[in-house]
Amino acid sequence: MDTVRHTIILVDDNLSSLAQGKDILKPYYKVYPAPSAAKLFEALKNITPDLVLMDIEMPEMSGYEAVKKLKADIRFKEIPVIFLTSKSDEDSELQGFDLGAMDYISKPFSAPLLLKRIENQLLIVRSQAALKNYADNLEKMVSEKTAEVVDLQNAVLETVADLVEFRDKHTGGHISRTQLYMKALLEELIRKGVYKNIVSKWNMNYLLPSAQLHDVGKIAITDLILNKGTKLTPEEFEIMKTHVDVGIAAIEKIMSNAQEHEFLYHALLIAGTHHEKWDGTGYPKGLKGDNIPLEGRLMAIADVYDALISERPYKKAYSHEEACKIIVESAGTHFDPVLADIFLNVEAEFKKISKESW
């Protein structure tokens, strides 16, 4: 017999059966006798039992009616109920099980059988509680571990992005700003339901942090070109363009050597396609229209906007209004026309980001 003294409410309008049941149970359990279903519900205001033993044939409210009421109340629905009955027909038992009863014990009952049935039901309840607790803890542990992994992965992305930006003396804050521009575009995209069939498949834990690696290939470009104080020559620009292929190769190498590389999927697409143009005149592959991954088309707007409003040794900074005008006029040539419209919806937010993130 279990050493834990569980609490049982015994409900029976037959006072003789009530007394007999209490005598059998009280050496092992805390027993609260109730001579009617109404008394049961009064007791439940102050007691939460581990099990209810319920007579079926009672005046005013039968055991079936009492169980139905019990199971309809969220506070009590999980309390196991064993019916006490002198009936032995199959239909009566099925009715009780349908209402949520766990077991039947025939009256008059024998003490050993009553105790064993109760012990078995309480064991089932404890086992179910233990499984639920294990499942809840497992879910929590998995959630915590997943969050730790995501944080670690994002920290790696941020560190690599910082190394790239540290080398480029002309683009201070560019990586953090483009990430915020991407966020603004993405939120508007979701709000409008644009490209929903694509966006719904994205892992948002990875998408925005991945934007930080869009220029990761610049880490391999010589300082003589990367930090040149004048406009690049055509030959130097061709070398600069290789940062895309270098970025693709670097990310693919990491993915090939890591079992968990889903977090780099968006980074690969962004780094590899943000210089492609809607009309097919971009690089490195000359992709056109919808053949350019949506991630790359979004970053193209964020990247170009930031380049336009930023001062360089070889050019002045365009105003926000001028940058907006250029992006709108380039819809259908450089940029996805649909995304250019999305940009217009959030251009004020772009302006705010550009002012606050230097």
Side-chain angles (χ1 to χ4, degrees):
M1 186 64 63
D2 199 322
T3 57
V4 178
R5 290 181 67 84
H6 292 283
T7 299
I8 295 175
I9 296 181
L10 173 60
V11 188
D12 196 327
D13 67 309
N14 186 307
L15 297 183
S16 176
S17 293
L18 198 64
Q20 180 190 6
K22 180 179 178 182
D23 288 341
I24 294 171
L25 298 175
K26 67 181 180 180
Y28 312 103
Y29 302 103
K30 296 177 184 176
V31 185
Y32 294 87
S36 67
K39 292 295 183 181
L40 163 67
F41 289 103
E42 284 185 22
L44 288 173
K45 294 176 183 178
N46 302 306
I47 302 166
T48 302
D50 297 293
L51 184 141
V52 172
L53 292 171
M54 179 90 70
D55 186 26
I56 292 178
E57 297 180 24
M58 296 185 291
E60 298 181 5
M61 184 185 296
S62 71
Y64 291 143
E65 293 169 324
V67 168
K68 189 174 181 179
K69 181 178 178 180
L70 197 71
K71 296 302 179 180
D73 192 319
I74 193 170
R75 297 171 297 172
F76 312 130
K77 64 182 298 183
E78 300 300 328
I79 298 173
V81 176
I82 296 177
F83 273 137
L84 305 174
T85 181
S86 56
K87 292 185 175 183
S88 59
D89 62 288
E90 185 177 294
D91 290 341
S92 295
E93 291 192 12
L94 284 174
Q95 183 180 355
F97 286 130
D98 286 342
L99 291 172
M102 301 297 293
D103 202 354
Y104 269 83
I105 296 176
S106 297
K107 295 197 314 183
F109 38 71
S110 71
L113 181 59
L114 176 64
L115 292 172
K116 180 54 69 175
R117 291 284 183 88
I118 292 172
E119 183 182 354
N120 287 345
Q121 287 304 323
L122 292 175
L123 178 61
I124 291 171
V125 170
R126 287 198 303 274
S127 299
Q128 290 173 338
L131 283 173
K132 184 179 185 303
N133 184 59
Y134 175 78
D136 290 345
N137 287 336
L138 182 62
E139 183 177 353
K140 182 182 178 183
M141 287 188 292
V142 170
S143 179
E144 289 175 350
K145 183 58 66 177
T146 300
E148 289 176 7
V149 171
V150 170
D151 287 345
L152 176 60
Q153 291 169 344
N154 290 344
V156 170
L157 295 179
E158 186 174 350
T159 301
V160 173
D162 285 346
L163 289 173
V164 175
E165 191 155 70
F166 178 77
R167 287 201 59 232
D168 192 336
K169 308 301 182 185
H170 301 318
T171 59
H174 171 73
I175 290 175
S176 61
R177 286 193 301 277
T178 51
Q179 189 178 13
L180 292 173
Y181 298 146
M182 281 279 283
K183 182 174 184 289
L185 289 170
L186 181 60
E187 287 176 348
E188 182 66 9
L189 208 65
I190 294 171
R191 192 181 75 83
K192 289 288 189 179
V194 177
Y195 293 128
K196 184 177 180 180
N197 60 325
I198 300 174
V199 175
S200 63
K201 298 174 184 176
W202 287 353
N203 187 325
M204 296 304 172
N205 288 325
Y206 300 143
L207 177 63
L208 290 174
S210 294
Q212 299 174 101
L213 293 191
H214 69 279
D215 278 338
V216 66
K218 285 184 177 180
I219 204 165
I221 302 298
T222 174
D223 284 344
L224 296 175
I225 294 176
L226 190 63
N227 293 309
K228 185 179 179 181
T230 58
K231 188 174 181 178
L232 299 180
T233 66
E235 293 77 18
E236 289 169 335
F237 184 60
E238 288 302 314
I239 294 173
M240 178 64 83
K241 286 164 62 175
T242 64
H243 81 274
V244 175
D245 289 324
V246 172
I248 292 171
I251 295 171
E252 285 181 337
K253 185 173 182 179
I254 298 172
M255 292 176 74
S256 67
N257 292 327
Q259 289 184 337
E260 294 293 334
H261 55 246
E262 181 189 355
F263 75 108
L264 289 170
Y265 173 75
H266 294 298
L268 182 66
L269 295 179
I270 292 171
T273 64
H274 71 287
H275 285 297
E276 300 288 357
K277 295 183 179 181
W278 187 255
D279 63 3
T281 61
Y283 66 89
K285 295 183 178 179
L287 299 178
K288 185 176 182 179
D290 290 336
N291 289 324
I292 306 169
L294 183 55
E295 295 96 325
R297 280 139 58 195
L298 285 165
M299 177 53 75
I301 292 177
D303 191 48
V304 169
Y305 173 84
D306 197 66
L308 289 171
I309 64 156
S310 301
E311 185 176 349
R312 298 287 186 266
Y314 52 86
K315 81 167 189 70
K316 69 177 182 67
Y318 287 88
S319 69
H320 168 75
E321 290 71 24
E322 290 171 326
C324 290
K325 185 173 183 291
I326 290 171
I327 289 175
V328 171
E329 290 177 348
S330 301
T333 53
H334 192 149
F335 306 113
D336 178 344
V338 174
L339 295 186
D341 288 340
I342 292 293
F343 164 76
L344 281 180
N345 291 345
V346 294
E347 55 87 11
E349 192 167 347
F350 268 55
K351 184 176 183 179
K352 182 180 178 183
I353 293 167
S354 71
K355 298 296 183 184
E356 295 177 350
S357 303
W358 291 94

